[in-house]
Amino acid sequence: MGDVSTESSPSESEVEPPERERALPKRRVWVVFAVAALLWAIDLITKNLVVANLEGKEPRPILGGLIYLQVIRNPGAAFSMATGMTWVLALVAIGVVIAIVWISRRLRSVGWAIGLGLVLAGALGNLTDRFFREPGPLRGHVVDFISAFAPNGQGFAIFNIADSAICVGGALIVLLSLLGKDYDGTSTRGKKKETA
């Protein structure tokens, strides 16, 4: 008779589970909405304060003239693009909000949750202006009030907190993508190495 192996086969607990069965990070939906709510509130408060205190007044320099505060009503997008297309921009913002809410259910990355929360806050902040400010729903002008380096947007475009949130959130999402970090908490770099 042949030799019978006395080595026991590995138990189920010792076998490494396939990649998709491994424990995934917790869902991060709450991070998206916490970041979005905080930045949306800051955007609304700052816009209301500058409208109440600075509308119709000369630009006010702060930080030694690094920043000028002044109220500009913007009917277009960033850098005054798409002026006169306010209703289209409002519909695009609604689409962005819906997309972020839909994808947030599958988020497991804190970085992605923060990035999408910032973009969501920015979209909601400017969308609020487009709905509730003059001249009317879907045509409202966005309140911009931060002019960097010089008044009247001469040094850089005039923007607001919502615009800043969109830019920072978008940059964070691009950075995470370049680093191979997926929104579901996995890393594409690890996947590429395993398949190579």
Side-chain angles (χ1 to χ4, degrees):
M1 290 194 137
D3 293 337
V4 177
S5 173
T6 56
E7 293 180 21
S8 61
S9 60
S11 67
E12 286 182 24
S13 61
E14 294 172 351
V15 177
E16 183 136 342
E19 173 115 11
R20 65 184 150 187
E21 291 179 18
R22 290 183 191 151
L24 292 172
K26 293 179 182 178
R27 294 187 192 275
R28 305 297 181 186
V29 179
W30 68 271
V31 176
V32 175
F33 295 109
V35 169
L38 176 64
L39 267 295
W40 188 14
I42 291 171
D43 181 65
L44 293 175
I45 290 167
T46 54
K47 285 175 179 173
N48 288 333
L49 284 173
V50 296
V51 166
N53 296 295
L54 297 176
E55 187 144 46
K57 296 182 180 176
E58 289 295 313
R60 181 175 297 170
I62 60 171
L63 302 174
L66 183 63
I67 300 289
Y68 288 80
L69 299 179
Q70 65 183 114
V71 176
I72 300 291
R73 303 285 182 144
N74 183 358
F79 306 104
S80 295
M81 294 185 297
T83 301
M85 302 286 288
T86 305
W87 66 273
V88 174
L89 297 170
L91 294 178
V92 169
I94 291 169
V96 168
V97 169
I98 291 169
I100 292 173
V101 169
W102 180 79
I103 198 172
S104 68
R105 300 173 299 137
R106 300 185 337 217
L107 276 177
R108 295 180 185 276
S109 163
V110 173
W112 270 85
I114 292 170
L116 287 174
L118 288 168
V119 174
L120 180 60
L124 288 171
N126 286 338
L127 189 59
T128 302
D129 283 358
R130 296 192 195 285
F131 267 102
F132 297 107
R133 295 201 188 270
E134 294 295 327
L138 292 180
R139 296 176 294 121
H141 295 178
V142 172
V143 173
D144 290 333
F145 61 91
I146 303 168
S147 182
F149 312 119
N152 305 311
Q154 295 169 345
F156 188 71
I158 300 176
F159 57 98
N160 57 40
I161 301 299
D163 298 332
S164 300
I166 290 170
C167 291
V168 172
L172 178 57
I173 290 167
V174 169
L175 176 63
L176 290 169
S177 297
L178 291 174
L179 293 174
K181 305 295 183 186
D182 281 344
Y183 66 90
D184 62 359
T186 61
S187 175
T188 54
R189 286 194 175 194
K191 291 175 190 174
K192 288 178 184 173
K193 286 179 183 175
E194 287 174 12
T195 58

